[in-house]
Amino acid sequence: MTAIIQTLLLLLAVLVAVAVMARRLNVAPSIVLVIAGVAVAFVPGLPTIELAPEFVLLVVLPPLIYLAGVSMSWREFRFNLRSISLLAFGCVVFTTCAVAVGAHVVLGLPWGLAFVLGAIVSPPDVVAPLAVARRLGLPRRILVVLEGEGLANDATALILYRFAVAAVSTGAFSLPEAAGTFAAIVIGEVAWGLAVGWISLRMRHWARDPRVEITLSMMTPYLAYWVPEHLGGSGVLATVAAGLYVSWNGPLLISSATRLQGVFFWDLLVYLIEGFIFLITGMQARALIERIESHSLVEILLGIAVTTLICIVARFVWVFPAIYLPRWLFRGVRRRDPAPVWQRPFMIAFVGVRGIVSLAAALALPFALQNGEPFPYRDFIVVVTFGVIVMTLVGQGLMMPLVMRWLGLAAVGIAERRIERERELTARHDAIDAAQRRLADMLAQGTVGEGVYALLAARNDQRVLQVPRTLEEGFETAKLGGRLRLELIAAERQHLHQLERDGALTDEARRRIERELDLEEASIACKAEGYDPPL
């Protein structure tokens, strides 16, 4: 037990050190974490850490998928549903078949095992590339399509993976039966996920206690995921549906106190989960190398190179027709959603990084067939999968900034952020005006007196002065006014500290006042970031 705790503390220290290093190098932490994990794996005396696939699929994956669904805009998801579906379902199936053909023809794998490998490496990861893409400022629609694809493609891949493994294990496969099962899983999981989201929001609304509500929010992804997974589905689509339902219906049912505490809780939880997962992914190198014996280094490197190349090429081959053909064939689609410039589908096609789901699926391969014989090529498939993850994550991840600058998408992202921030300023003023009109109605109806009206009207007037009309004005206001307000808050903190030392103020009272100052300081930082002028 002591050794486990020491190992966890060591991993936490590496996680913190890598995060600081990545910030200084201006590189995505996920990339550096995988490299650091590979290096740590070969440290003498450190115990070999093997990633349990059931831990990833049943414990780690649900909260990550759920939070991505909650963070996703249902309106944007629905508008881009065609592109997302063609990637999350069509591209995954196409990549699976392409890898299967290459693995059978070039690598010599039997057809069943070739399809197993194809299903494992077909889904791109959503966590690592989006972390890089957001920092680079990619255009909003590209981010939405990539995130929406990442929410659903795991479900397609895991279902195909189960069909392929079952076919290898039993030696039997029926395409009509598999297609019917796939459709039933999709419909059933979406319905179950919506039901879980509805139940979760109602229970949280009835609880009205932030601690209880956050606990319920933590249980929601597991309830949505575990039941379909236990019944033979993937659980992914149900978790996505639950997250999207909460995202769309939650703002009016979740209390402000819960949101404030929940944002911090989920941010820290996901940060630790993602960090540990990327680090431990790299640390699998040692265990995998120790297990591979029946295949030469040349065979392994060839398998990694061929599979990686097919994954990258297949995505490019699929993405461009999937984006342009519907617009060429259907006038309504073309009129409602004109074709984008070629740089956008190129960037979507380039961001095809493989991640932890592929590794977990490979490690979850059974050790033996139903007849008791060893599962053929198991170690080879696992090592090739790990190589594809490292090649795409490190290679494509490091190249993303260069590709984005080459495509000229940085300027598009800057223009979009400027428009978004201008709309935000307008919305802030409109919301204050709505509150002021409501206050005037309350005065006319006699609900509030003159004194209360004057107090609340003065509050609204102060908020109007704090919200600039333009981004340029906002930057100057945030820079000067924010700095002065922070100095005033620091003066209040120092005075409160002295009152507490002198015994003139209790700890409880000091904490209540300090919480108000914390919220105000966080609000200043948020506004300063939002009004930061485009680069």
Side-chain angles (χ1 to χ4, degrees):
M1 186 64 182
T2 303
I4 295 177
I5 296 177
Q6 291 174 345
T7 304
L8 288 176
L9 291 176
L10 173 62
L11 295 180
L12 187 61
V14 173
L15 176 62
V16 174
V18 168
V20 175
M21 183 188 306
R23 180 177 291 272
R24 298 294 294 268
L25 297 175
N26 196 25
V27 178
S30 55
I31 299 174
V32 186
L33 281 170
V34 172
I35 298 175
V38 175
V40 171
F42 293 97
V43 174
L46 190 69
T48 302
I49 298 178
E50 294 195 43
L51 195 63
E54 61 274 8
F55 176 77
V56 174
L57 296 176
L58 298 179
V59 179
V60 172
L61 193 58
L64 295 180
I65 296 175
Y66 174 74
L67 184 63
V70 172
S71 304
M72 169 69 70
S73 166
W74 165 246
R75 179 178 55 82
E76 294 178 330
F77 182 87
R78 182 178 57 188
F79 181 77
N80 294 282
L81 186 59
R82 183 188 66 258
S83 299
I84 292 172
S85 300
L86 288 172
L87 290 172
F89 297 99
C91 189
V92 169
V93 175
F94 180 75
T95 304
T96 299
C97 296
V99 172
V101 172
H104 177 72
V105 174
V106 181
L107 304 179
L109 267 65
W111 276 114
L113 295 171
F115 273 100
V116 170
L117 177 60
I120 289 174
V121 299
S122 60
D125 182 50
V126 65
V127 177
L130 281 184
V132 180
R134 288 195 183 96
R135 196 180 79 254
L136 295 176
L138 274 178
R140 175 66 184 171
R141 189 168 186 185
I142 295 180
L143 291 176
V144 171
V145 171
L146 291 174
E147 190 169 7
E149 176 198 7
L151 288 175
N153 62 8
D154 291 339
T156 307
L158 290 175
I159 294 172
L160 293 176
Y161 163 80
R162 293 189 178 186
F163 289 154
V165 171
V168 172
S169 300
T170 62
F173 177 76
S174 172
L175 181 59
E177 181 180 349
T181 304
F182 184 86
I185 289 174
V186 171
I187 296 173
E189 286 200 20
V190 171
W192 171 252
L194 294 176
V196 170
W198 185 88
I199 294 172
S200 174
L201 278 182
R202 267 59 190 180
M203 292 183 67
R204 293 168 65 177
H205 184 63
W206 296 335
R208 286 296 177 181
D209 184 328
R211 291 165 296 186
V212 176
E213 292 185 61
I214 293 174
T215 304
L216 287 170
S217 74
M218 187 171 59
M219 295 170 59
T220 300
Y222 293 107
L223 177 62
Y225 189 95
W226 283 353
V227 172
E229 197 278 338
H230 180 72
L231 297 177
S234 70
V236 174
L237 288 178
T239 310
V240 171
L244 288 172
Y245 184 89
V246 172
S247 171
W248 185 252
N249 298 280
L252 299 180
L253 295 175
I254 300 175
S255 64
S256 58
T258 301
R259 274 196 295 270
L260 289 172
Q261 298 181 41
V263 167
F264 169 79
F265 170 82
W266 278 98
D267 280 350
L268 178 61
L269 178 65
V270 170
Y271 172 78
L272 293 176
I273 289 177
E274 292 178 353
F276 275 116
I277 285 301
F278 285 120
L279 185 60
I280 295 176
T281 297
M283 295 179 68
Q284 301 308 295
R286 177 178 171 184
L288 296 177
I289 291 176
E290 290 175 351
R291 280 200 317 217
I292 194 74
E293 297 177 353
S294 57
H295 299 275
S296 66
L297 181 61
V298 175
E299 289 179 311
I300 294 173
L301 294 179
L302 179 63
I304 293 173
V306 169
T307 307
T308 303
L309 181 62
I310 293 176
C311 287
I312 295 174
V313 173
R315 185 170 176 85
F316 274 93
V317 171
W318 178 267
V319 165
F320 279 88
I323 290 180
Y324 288 111
L325 274 181
R327 295 174 170 88
W328 292 344
L329 297 176
F330 303 102
R331 183 181 302 176
V333 174
R334 184 168 60 250
R335 184 171 54 251
R336 184 176 65 254
D337 187 14
V341 294
W342 68 269
Q343 288 90 341
R344 293 183 180 235
F346 187 96
M347 193 68 199
I348 292 175
F350 183 82
V351 184
V353 176
R354 270 55 185 179
I356 188 61
V357 173
S358 294
L359 183 60
L363 292 173
L365 286 172
F367 287 94
L369 304 176
Q370 286 190 353
N371 59 10
E373 295 181 2
F375 194 95
Y377 289 91
R378 184 184 186 279
D379 291 339
F380 178 79
I381 292 175
V382 173
V383 174
V384 168
T385 301
F386 178 79
V388 172
I389 292 172
V390 174
M391 291 285 289
T392 56
L393 180 60
V394 177
Q396 290 179 276
L398 290 177
M399 290 177 62
M400 278 181 62
L402 299 177
V403 173
M404 182 178 170
R405 285 195 292 269
W406 172 63
L407 296 175
L409 293 175
V412 179
I414 290 174
E416 286 187 355
R417 292 197 302 277
R418 182 181 183 87
I419 294 174
E420 179 184 354
R421 292 170 183 175
E422 288 175 346
R423 290 177 177 175
E424 177 187 342
L425 292 179
T426 302
R428 287 178 181 270
H429 280 283
D430 291 346
I432 295 174
D433 292 341
Q436 188 63 35
R437 290 193 300 271
R438 175 58 180 155
L439 182 60
D441 293 340
M442 295 170 67
L443 177 64
Q445 297 169 3
T447 307
V448 298
E450 292 287 348
V452 175
Y453 173 84
L455 177 64
L456 296 178
R459 169 187 173 273
N460 287 337
D461 292 340
Q462 183 185 23
R463 293 181 64 202
V464 169
L465 294 176
Q466 292 177 358
V467 179
R469 294 288 178 180
T470 64
L471 283 177
E472 289 72 15
E473 175 189 346
F475 175 65
E476 295 300 327
T477 302
K479 184 177 179 180
L480 178 60
R483 179 171 56 81
L484 295 177
R485 289 172 64 191
L486 289 176
E487 290 184 11
L488 297 178
I489 290 175
E492 289 189 57
R493 290 187 192 279
Q494 186 175 1
H495 183 69
L496 291 172
H497 179 70
Q498 189 60 45
L499 289 177
E500 183 184 18
R501 287 293 184 90
D502 296 339
L505 188 68
T506 63
D507 287 348
E508 294 293 333
R510 191 263 305 167
R511 291 192 185 98
R512 285 193 294 270
I513 301 174
E514 192 172 53
R515 174 176 171 77
E516 296 177 6
L517 297 178
D518 290 341
L519 293 174
E520 184 178 0
E521 187 171 344
S523 174
I524 295 172
C526 181
K527 289 179 181 178
E529 180 181 355
Y531 300 148
D532 194 15
L535 300 176

